[in-house]
Amino acid sequence: EVFVAPPMPHLATVTAELRADIAVSSQDCGNLTKYGAFTGEAFGGMLEDIGCEWALVGHSERRSYQSESNELVAQKAKAAIDT
């Protein structure tokens, strides 16, 4: 399977214009499965709503620059899977 992971602002456009045999992934996702007033977070359900089939969590850049812990990455992975 092949997928691309464009920056968040371009997800909907890429999803709409990409060939059907190429999936779209977000570059991150929130660690909760619900919607709410969590400014700047994109949760699994929101990503699914715009056609994302994958979510990349635990990327080395986020772990380094945003100090994401193993615990937070596990929570994000669980939230993505549970969506």
Side-chain angles (χ1 to χ4, degrees):
E1 188 160 355
V2 176
F3 69 88
V4 296
M8 191 73 66
H10 304 294
L11 282 173
T13 301
V14 171
T15 300
E17 295 184 15
L18 199 62
R19 295 182 349 210
D21 62 329
I22 301 176
V24 176
S25 172
S26 67
Q27 293 182 358
D28 191 39
C29 75
N31 62 327
L32 301 174
T33 57
K34 61 181 180 178
Y35 292 84
F38 303 100
T39 303
E41 287 293 313
F43 301 104
M46 297 165 128
L47 296 168
E48 189 175 53
D49 288 348
I50 63 168
C52 281
E53 299 177 49
W54 297 88
L56 175 62
V57 298
H59 192 282
S60 61
E61 289 176 358
R62 293 197 60 89
R63 293 176 69 87
S64 294
Y65 303 135
Q66 277 86 27
S67 301
E68 290 191 354
S69 65
N70 289 341
E71 180 181 1
L72 180 57
V73 171
Q75 290 170 358
K76 288 181 173 194
K78 182 177 183 337
I81 290 167
D82 290 348
T83 298

